[in-house]
């Protein structure tokens, strides 16, 4: 319309008829107004009351949308935050000036980006997530790489789903440490540590974790290292959470196991290790639940090694023992050195962990193990040399398979607790029993307790593989980070209340 009268009079007339002006631009004696379509009739009446005949054009504009934000902030602050959020999201308000009231700001954006604009404003203004810093140790390993891939794939969906801003600030290999307080890109974590990490050792790593920053921090130990496991007491005592698929710490002495639990309780630092037994199966959580409700564990029969069960499956379908082991290692089913799986040590540790979680204060020496591979071969420290030498036991395993099959039985690597003795050994069992029906790579735990009797509690499913383990580690990490963030928030509230008092 021609601006033959003042913009103020026009504004007054529109306000008198409760017509909201979303945006207005004046130039060359003309005023352009952006009004909600629902107010068009009132606006025309307002203009008529002012006797402005020169309305040159009015049109329904479907190319633009209005996005309004209501807040307790001052209009100036709110406007600055809205502009910053839209700019950061690569969006800009289409028309200026924006409409502001004492408690709201409305901006006009191209209709095509209205959903993106609402999401960007929501994320920036309404959903500031508590930040939790994560340090990954063993960043080049299979589980760590699968975890980084998951974090990268879930990307922007994670904060929404988990209610957290999880950032990897540190990544360590045996020789290198890469650190960035702003956060490292999960997708390229392993390559970035290799390329840009600074030389570091265990002491340097510990110092960096302990003495950098004050945010809640979680260490994810993706190694199979005793040395790294030995750091947990110091980390937990300092309030730093630990998440790990590494069994080493919990398989040390009973006193060490208890100390870790007590340190975690005392400092409030989360300690989560659900993937140390059964990868994604809730075996430890079930054992813990039994203990907490006072349900006595009477016995367990379990297959707890996805790698050994895959190997036994293969040899019972005709594959030589040495080839079956090499295949399981290539698929990432075995420990870094397959001798650890075949020695039975890995399963002995897992059985020990389940029994401890169920409340039995046992030492490793209480678990008797009959290894799949013994003698000198078991002491070969080089994984490649070990695999090459395994052909020496192919005939022995072929004979055991034939003997079992002749009786209609199958070989299973069983971890057992009968209420008195804990043992780990290959057993020949009737085909069709629950433990022989497992598919390659599956785990099973059959638990008889005071309440689960005569029908046992049975947990079964895939129990190995880097991807599955990483998914379990991510679950532990999210839960640990939520705990840590909640505690940090409570600490801040207490400190604020103490300052105010
Ligand atoms: N893979 C599975 O299916 C599975 C299932 C359940 C549990 N787990 C457990 O998950 C953990 C990782 O398994 P993985 O299969 O990923 O093993 P991996 O591929 O061998 O990775 C382990 C990584 O740890 C690194 N490492 C060893 N000592 C270290 C130290 N002192 N400081 C920093 N880094 C160190 C190694 O670095 P280098 O390359 O420099 O030696 C290696 O990259 C193990 O504890 C395993 O028992 C694995």
């Amino acid at each position: 319309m021609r601006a033959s009268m003042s913009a103020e009079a026009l504004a007054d007339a529109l306000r008198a008829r409760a017509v909201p002006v979303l945006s207005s631009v004046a130039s060359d004696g003309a005023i352009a107004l952006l009004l909600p379509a629902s107010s068009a009739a009132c606006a025309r009446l307002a203009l008529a009351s002012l006797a402005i005949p020169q309305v040159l054009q009015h049109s329904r504009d479907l190319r633009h949308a209005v996005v309004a934000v209501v807040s307790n902030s001052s209009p100036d602050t709110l406007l600055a935050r809205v502009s910053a959020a839209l700019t950061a999201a690569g969006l800009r308000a289409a028309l200026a000036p924006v409409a502001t009231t004492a408690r709201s700001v409305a901006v006009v954006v191209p209709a095509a980006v209205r959903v993106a604009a609402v999401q960007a404003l929501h994320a920036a203004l309404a959903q500031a997530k508590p930040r939790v810093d994560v340090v990954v140790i063993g960043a080049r390993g299979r589980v760590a790489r699968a975890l980084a891939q998951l974090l990268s794939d879930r990307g922007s969906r994670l904060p929404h789903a988990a209610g957290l801003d999880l950032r990897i600030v540190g990544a360590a290999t045996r020789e290198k440490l890469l650190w960035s307080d702003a956060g490292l890109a999960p997708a390229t974590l392993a390559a970035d540590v290799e390329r840009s990490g600074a030389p570091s050792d265990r002491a340097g790593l510990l110092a960096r974790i302990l003495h950098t920053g004050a945010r809640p921090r979680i260490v994810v130990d993706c190694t199979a290292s005793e040395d790294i496991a030995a750091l947990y007491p110091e980390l937990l005592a300092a309030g730093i959470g630990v998440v790990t698929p590494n069994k080493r710490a919990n398989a040390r002495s009973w006193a060490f196991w208890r100390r870790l639990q007590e340190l975690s309780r005392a400092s409030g630092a989360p300690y989560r290790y659900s993937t140390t037994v059964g990868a994604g199966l809730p075996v430890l959580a079930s054992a813990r639940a039994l203990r907490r409700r006072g349900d006595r564990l009477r016995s367990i029969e379990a297959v707890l090694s996805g790698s050994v069960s895959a190997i036994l499956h293969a040899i019972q379908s005709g594959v030589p023992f040495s080839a079956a082991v090499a295949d399981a290692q290539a698929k990432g089913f075995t420990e870094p050195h397959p001798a650890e799986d075949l020695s039975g040590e890995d399963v002995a540790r897992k059985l020990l962990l389940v029994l401890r979680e169920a409340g039995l204060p046992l030492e490793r020496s209480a678990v008797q193990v009959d290894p799949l591979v013994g003698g000198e071969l078991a002491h070969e420290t080089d994984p490649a040399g070990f695999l090459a030498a395994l052909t020496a036991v192919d005939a022995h395993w072929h004979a055991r398979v034939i003997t079992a099959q002749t009786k209609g039985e199958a070989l299973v690597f069983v971890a057992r607790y009968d209420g008195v003795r804990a043992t780990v050994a290959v057993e020949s069992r009737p085909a069709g029993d629950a433990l022989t029906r497992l598919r390659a790579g599956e785990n099973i735990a059959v638990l008889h307790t005071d309440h689960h009797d005569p029908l046992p509690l049975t947990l079964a499913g895939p129990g190995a593989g880097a991807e599955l383990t990483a998914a379990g580690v991510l679950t532990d990490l999210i839960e640990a980070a939520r705990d840590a963030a909640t505690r940090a928030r409570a600490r801040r509230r207490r400190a604020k209340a103490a300052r105010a008092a």
Side-chain angles (χ1 to χ4, degrees):
M1 73 195 68
R2 299 247 181 265
S4 54
M5 69 169 21
S6 75
E8 286 79 16
L10 188 55
D12 286 346
L14 291 170
R15 201 175 304 118
R17 290 190 182 261
V19 176
V21 177
L22 300 173
S23 182
S24 66
V25 181
S27 68
D28 291 341
I31 300 174
L33 297 172
L34 181 72
L35 312 172
S38 56
S39 304
C42 291
R44 261 186 238 110
L45 288 174
L47 297 178
S49 73
L50 289 171
I52 306 174
Q54 309 97 319
V55 176
L56 297 180
Q57 190 185 0
H58 62 86
S59 62
R60 286 172 70 87
D61 179 357
L62 299 179
R63 288 170 299 126
H64 291 94
V66 178
V67 178
V69 179
V70 180
S71 161
N72 282 333
S73 308
S74 75
D76 285 351
T77 310
L78 185 58
L79 180 54
R81 292 180 69 197
V82 166
S83 301
L86 290 177
T87 307
L91 308 166
R92 279 195 309 130
L95 300 178
V98 292
T100 60
T101 69
R103 309 184 102 211
S104 73
V105 165
V107 292
V108 180
V109 297
V113 300
R114 68 186 193 286
V115 174
V118 169
Q119 284 172 344
L121 290 170
H122 205 243
L125 305 178
Q127 295 185 323
K129 304 293 183 205
R131 178 173 157 176
V132 178
D133 288 352
V134 178
V135 179
V136 178
I137 310 182
R140 271 193 328 186
R142 287 168 294 187
V143 172
R145 276 185 283 127
L147 175 66
Q149 190 60 51
L150 276 177
L151 286 166
S152 168
D153 292 348
R154 307 278 149 95
S156 55
R157 280 183 293 140
L158 248 191
H160 183 66
L164 290 166
D165 176 5
L166 273 185
R167 285 211 208 168
I168 301 180
V169 295
T173 64
R174 219 182 280 262
E175 297 99 19
K176 289 186 174 177
L177 172 63
L178 183 62
W179 198 279
S180 162
D181 284 324
L184 301 167
T188 52
L189 196 66
D192 290 348
V193 189
E194 272 311 286
R195 199 180 40 244
S196 318
S200 179
D201 56 11
R202 184 173 163 275
L205 170 66
L206 180 64
R208 189 76 196 238
I209 296 171
L210 290 178
H211 304 302
T212 312
R215 274 189 207 94
R217 181 159 295 164
I218 313 268
V219 166
V220 183
D221 170 18
C222 290
T223 73
S225 160
E226 278 284 356
D227 286 351
I228 300 297
L231 300 177
Y232 297 179
E234 221 165 326
L235 296 172
L236 293 171
I240 293 165
V242 175
V243 169
T244 188
N246 180 1
K247 289 171 280 298
R248 299 290 180 147
N250 279 351
R252 286 181 162 205
S253 67
W254 165 248
F256 193 81
W257 187 94
R258 276 199 41 189
R259 191 162 156 235
L260 294 178
Q261 305 288 331
E262 279 160 11
L263 282 169
S264 164
R265 244 191 317 273
S267 70
Y271 177 40
R272 293 189 184 252
Y273 44 83
S274 73
T275 51
T276 52
V277 178
L281 285 181
V283 181
L284 289 176
S286 303
R288 192 178 311 129
L290 297 177
R291 167 167 53 88
R292 287 186 177 155
R293 71 177 191 217
D295 193 357
R296 191 173 53 96
L297 180 68
R298 294 183 183 168
S299 69
I300 298 181
E301 271 193 331
V303 173
L304 294 177
S305 170
S307 52
V308 176
S309 91
I311 291 163
L312 292 182
H313 257 84
I315 64 172
Q316 291 175 95
S317 53
V319 179
F321 187 79
S322 54
V325 175
D327 186 50
Q329 195 212 30
K331 287 182 175 146
F333 282 179
T334 67
E335 287 293 305
H337 191 329
E340 200 148 304
D341 302 71
L342 301 179
S343 70
E345 194 51 44
D346 186 54
V347 173
R349 288 192 188 117
K350 287 175 178 169
L351 179 58
L352 183 65
L353 264 51
V354 179
L355 295 175
R356 285 178 173 176
E357 210 68 43
L360 296 162
L362 298 177
E363 297 294 349
R364 163 65 191 84
S365 55
V367 183
Q368 282 172 29
V369 183
D370 186 7
L372 280 87
V373 168
E376 272 184 28
L377 189 51
H379 296 109
E380 172 60 64
T381 51
D382 170 39
F386 177 78
L387 283 176
L390 270 186
T391 49
V393 296
D394 282 350
H396 163 78
W397 281 104
H398 180 65
R400 280 192 76 170
V401 169
I402 297 298
T403 307
Q405 288 178 342
T406 310
K407 289 192 281 182
E409 293 186 349
L411 300 180
V412 193
F413 197 40
V414 183
R416 178 192 303 287
Y417 170 70
D418 61 9
V420 181
R421 277 171 12 106
T423 56
V424 173
V426 174
E427 294 180 7
S428 183
R429 298 172 66 107
D433 118 344
L435 271 63
T436 62
R437 280 202 307 266
L438 294 185
R439 281 164 296 181
E442 275 189 315
N443 279 193
I444 187 169
V446 181
L447 285 75
H448 284 272
T449 74
D450 285 346
H451 292 109
H452 289 282
D453 188 59
L455 280 182
L457 171 64
T458 303
L459 303 156
E467 280 74 22
L468 190 66
T469 305
V473 171
L474 180 58
T475 304
D476 278 356
L477 175 58
I478 289 171
E479 285 175 10
R482 286 169 67 100
D483 270 9
T486 304
R487 283 174 190 276
R489 206 176 303 129
R491 260 198 312 277
R492 278 197 301 276
R493 264 197 221 115
R494 280 198 301 274
K496 198 170 162 191
R499 276 198 305 276

